[in-house]
Amino acid sequence: MIPPLTKLDYQKTMLDYLELNKKMLKGINNLLTIEDVDVDLTDKELIHQEGKMKLYHYKPLVKKVSPVPTVVVYALVNRQYMMDLHQNRSVIRNWLEHGMDVYIVDWGYPDQVDKYLTMEDYIDGYVNDCVDVIRERTGHDKINMLGVCQGGTFGTIYAALYPEKIRNLVTMVAPIDFSIKEGLLFHWSKYMDIDKLVDAYGIIPGDFMNFGFLMLKPFQLMVDKYVGLMDNIDDPEAVKDFLRMEKWIFDSPGQAGEAFRTFIKELYQENKLIKNEFELGGRKVDLRNIEMPVLNVFAEQDHLVPPSASRPLNDAISSKDNDIVSFPGGHIGLYVSSGSQKHVAPAIANWLNERSKNGRKASSKKKK
Amino acid sequence: MADTQKSMVELWQEFQEKMIEAWKDSMPREAPYNAMSSDYSRQMMEKWQEMQQKMVEYWKGEDTRPFDIWESMANIPGWDGSDQGDKMQEFYKDMMQTTSRNLEELWKMAPPGVGKETYGRMKEAGEVYSELMAFWMETAVKLPDSGDVEKWQEFLQNWFDNYNRVLDSFFRLGLPEPVKELVKGPGELTHLQQEVLFNFMQPWFQVAPEMKDKLVQAMRGDREAYKDFVRLFHKTHEDTYGRTLRVPAFGLSREHLEQLLSSIDSYTRYVYNINELNAVLYRQGYEAMEDLMNKVTRLAEEGKAPTTFREFYKLWWQSNEEAFYEIFSTEEFGRLLGEVVNSWAGFKIDYDNLMSRFINENLPIPTKGDMESVYKTIHEVRNNVKARDEQVENLNGQLEEMESQLSKREKEVKDLNKTVKTLSETVEKMNKKIEDLEAQVKANKGGESS
């Protein structure tokens, strides 16, 4: 039986509605005139390119720059400029202001020609080449690696395979233990026939991935977010911020099929990484090889990579100097919230800077 | 946007804002808290609903003049409750006709890009919001008297029908276009359109009478019956046509026929799976709404029930999010979702193969299969080139090392030669000295003998 709603305040409802309309009116211009929004604005220089992958070096913003460079390895999903969405809320800019010497990998947009790219191609190939380019350019034997989300998983695998090239490792919201029960992506992926999906598409469409992400919180991400926009639509800056995030969310590159197949099957479904059973290019990835200082950062309300997927890293490695830091907020909030600017970015910069004093230069020109 | 257009929008906005302020002022200040009996409130609410509906129709492209409703709102009794409202009403009436038409044109001129795309998503979210609001108004405003059994039955039937619209609009949100089309087809099946289904199902009715009963129950709004119907449909299909479709074919066109039958079979599997998933989602949607209504009742008893649509909306989306998270976390949902994705991928593979075969046999253009080998070759060539580059680099390194070694050796030889030369000179000097000494010894011996 449907209960009668006896306490209906018509006047308040109407006034709410009229206020909403007023805001909508003011916001019309905002939406009518915006063709695109500015993102990824921090000044940087292209220093290496291989296939669709590009390696950039950010120009320093302060005189005293850390002697050890840091390469940021982003996920293959979505785009790395999430860390530089807006100048007032740019994690990259914050790090530069803290004196970090930052390089970043841009994976580009794979198409069908790239469908056979494997995880070996990505990690033993692209990531290793980028590290070598930076080592050669700066003359350092070892550099810092900072991996974000899936890029954190890549960074961890890389550090286990090439510990001689990494001085400090930072992982941010990186999935390491895939056996967890909390995250829906971890739960759903167990039932996917990845072979069939990869065989059907070659390159897994970005839209497919996005739909999966939206389904994690469908009412919030597909309805309330836009209804909520109406509340701020009369504020041009708020609308632009919203559109920047919107642009990033729907800027979804496809996934190279072979790499996707391995990542989902051997990590998500078989959880080989944390068990030291994962192999790359015929070599076993043993996390115990990681002896360098490690900082493991995660978000306490992360619904994409829950803390329980990131936390176990510290127990699986041999590093004596290993820290684990969590911040309130979600997966994306770690990069774009005001808390990110005040707490997250400075904490990481300080941790790295502390461990990057007296940068030791390489004795020979290049070592592979 | 041109300056003239921009100023027109600004002008329009200004008028609208003044109108809204006037409207707010004109609302009867002494209206009762629950103004069910007030003509003013009732009509205002009805107009409001009408306006929402018109906005939805406009967004769907079915109404080209959504802003006309503003004009008719001005005629609601009580609108002229104040002098200011009266004046603004006249002012508004004069200007509204021209500005509303211009605004409609301007919406269409929004440049492509994030603004327009976001507007599209807002529009879709707005549909859900509006459908929910219409549902809520229907539920909250038009409740029959408690003793009117017939009207209550009619109301409950409408409740199901109306909420179905809310769920329909929600479940199609955010889907990429190709997926949207695929979901839309089977999604419409959930409406159980009698004619299509009866025709389609006729052969099975003879095999499975239970299906017919379930279908009839489902058409009356029984979601569990619909789920049973879908399951029976799949089983019957598997036992009848499904088996036939998987029987090996014979003859000249055997392979082609097998491909064709396989793709039909995999499509049927996909349709079954997405329907089963839909049934679960819709069932959850209804249950979440019923739970919400019960919650609202409890809140009403405590005097905390939502009193505006916005409050109700907030409660609605948050409670639905929780309810859906719960079901998304179940084994059943994970399995169903997996089957939908897997059967879709299976169908896509079969369909692509069928199309490729047709193109290969009839058209002079390369197919996906042809391109596969090109992609694979490119990948191998890229890796080979990279491996060769690394080899060349290593060889260059070795060459440099050898050159360095050679140069070192050359220097050593040079030094040795120098040493040898010095030694030779020393030996020569020594020999000379020996010769001199021998000559001296000889001379001494000659002297002694004489």
Side-chain angles (χ1 to χ4, degrees), chain B residues 126-377:
Chain B
E127 279 186 32
V128 178
Y129 190 78
S130 300
E131 292 287 5
L132 181 69
M133 187 153 60
F135 166 80
W136 182 72
M137 293 305 297
E138 192 76 17
T139 307
V141 178
K142 295 185 178 174
L143 284 177
D145 293 336
S146 56
D148 195 339
V149 178
E150 203 173 295
K151 280 208 165 174
W152 262 104
Q153 281 173 348
E154 192 186 326
F155 172 81
L156 285 175
Q157 188 57 49
N158 284 338
W159 190 97
F160 271 105
D161 292 345
N162 289 341
Y163 197 58
N164 208 38
R165 284 208 317 268
V166 179
L167 291 176
D168 283 349
S169 57
F170 175 73
F171 286 127
R172 283 207 283 270
L173 272 180
L175 292 171
E177 278 308 317
V179 184
K180 204 177 266 187
E181 282 309 305
L182 279 159
V183 175
K184 194 179 166 194
E188 281 169 357
L189 211 63
T190 59
H191 295 151
L192 303 171
Q193 292 162 348
Q194 192 172 7
E195 192 182 347
V196 177
L197 269 183
F198 265 114
N199 290 337
F200 187 56
M201 295 294 124
Q202 202 58 35
W204 279 284
F205 290 155
Q206 293 159 7
V207 186
E210 193 189 352
M211 267 179 65
K212 194 173 179 178
D213 296 338
K214 291 290 178 191
L215 178 62
V216 172
Q217 288 169 31
M219 285 164 59
R220 287 178 183 152
D222 184 337
R223 313 307 296 180
E224 279 302 312
Y226 174 67
K227 207 181 155 199
D228 291 343
F229 162 77
V230 172
R231 191 169 289 124
L232 276 168
F233 164 76
H234 181 65
K235 187 176 180 307
T236 312
H237 168 265
E238 285 292 294
D239 293 345
T240 54
Y241 292 131
R243 196 174 292 173
T244 314
L245 291 174
R246 287 191 294 278
V247 166
F250 299 98
L252 279 176
S253 58
R254 183 185 61 83
E255 205 183 326
H256 193 188
L257 187 62
E258 274 183 359
Q259 267 189 347
L260 184 66
L261 293 177
S262 168
S263 68
I264 294 171
D265 187 43
S266 57
Y267 182 67
T268 315
R269 281 163 188 273
Y270 167 69
V271 170
Y272 162 72
N273 285 325
I274 190 106
N275 271 315
E276 196 176 357
L277 186 81
N278 268 338
V280 170
L281 291 174
Y282 274 71
R283 185 188 63 197
Q284 188 66 11
Y286 277 105
E287 284 177 8
M289 194 53 165
E290 282 184 25
D291 287 348
L292 175 60
M293 289 306 206
N294 290 331
K295 188 176 179 182
V296 169
T297 309
R298 285 198 304 275
L299 288 172
E301 285 165 6
E302 296 163 16
K304 295 175 187 168
T307 55
T308 66
F309 172 67
R310 202 62 193 265
E311 288 170 14
F312 175 76
Y313 159 78
K314 193 177 169 192
L315 212 53
W316 172 80
W317 84 256
Q318 288 178 348
S319 57
N320 268 277
E321 199 82 294
E322 280 172 30
F324 275 86
Y325 180 81
E326 204 173 297
I327 196 169
F328 285 171
S329 307
T330 62
E331 294 288 317
E332 185 199 12
F333 186 84
R335 182 186 58 77
L336 267 175
L337 187 66
E339 281 171 8
V340 169
V341 173
N342 301 341
S343 57
W344 162 246
F347 167 64
K348 187 174 186 306
I349 291 169
D350 283 344
Y351 184 76
D352 287 350
N353 287 342
L354 201 63
M355 288 296 108
S356 292
R357 187 189 178 95
F358 172 80
I359 292 168
N360 266 336
E361 288 173 358
N362 298 286
L363 298 168
I365 49 175
T367 59
K368 191 181 168 193
D370 300 324
M371 294 308 293
E372 294 284 301
S373 71
V374 176
Y375 300 145
K376 186 139 195 148
T377 306

Side-chain angles (χ1 to χ4, degrees), chain A residues 3 6 9-11 17-19 22 25 32 115 121 129 187 191 193 201 211 219-220 224 231, chain B residues 12-13 16 21 23-24 28 34 36 45 51-52 111 297 307 313 321 330-331 342 344 372 379 386:
Chain A
T6 53
D9 188 337
Y10 292 100
Q11 278 202 32
Y17 178 71
L18 291 174
E19 277 303 315
K22 264 179 77 174
L25 289 168
L32 269 177
K115 63 186 282 186
D121 290 322
D129 290 344
H187 172 57
Y191 301 92
D193 185 342
Y201 281 102
F211 181 60
F219 288 83
Q220 183 182 344
D224 189 58
D231 289 334
Chain B
W12 185 87
Q13 288 172 337
Q16 290 290 313
E21 286 304 321
W23 187 8
K24 280 164 68 177
N34 183 354
M36 285 289 284
M45 280 306 197
M51 178 195 284
Q52 291 304 314
T297 309
T307 55
Y313 159 78
E321 199 82 294
T330 62
E331 294 288 317
N342 301 341
W344 162 246
E372 294 284 301
H379 181 256
K386 194 172 174 186

Side-chain angles (χ1 to χ4, degrees), chain A residues 136-192:
Chain A
E136 186 174 8
R137 182 183 156 98
T138 59
H140 284 89
D141 276 335
K142 293 183 173 190
I143 64 168
N144 298 331
M145 179 165 282
L146 193 156
V148 176
C149 188
Q150 184 190 29
T153 314
F154 280 19
T156 303
I157 293 170
Y158 183 83
L161 291 174
Y162 300 88
E164 72 281 5
K165 297 185 185 182
I166 300 301
R167 179 155 169 168
N168 299 295
L169 172 69
V170 179
T171 58
M172 293 183 78
V173 289
I176 302 294
D177 183 352
F178 294 81
S179 66
I180 61 160
K181 305 285 180 203
E182 293 92 334
L184 289 179
L185 288 181
F186 293 78
H187 172 57
W188 292 344
S189 65
K190 305 281 186 289
Y191 301 92
M192 302 283 166

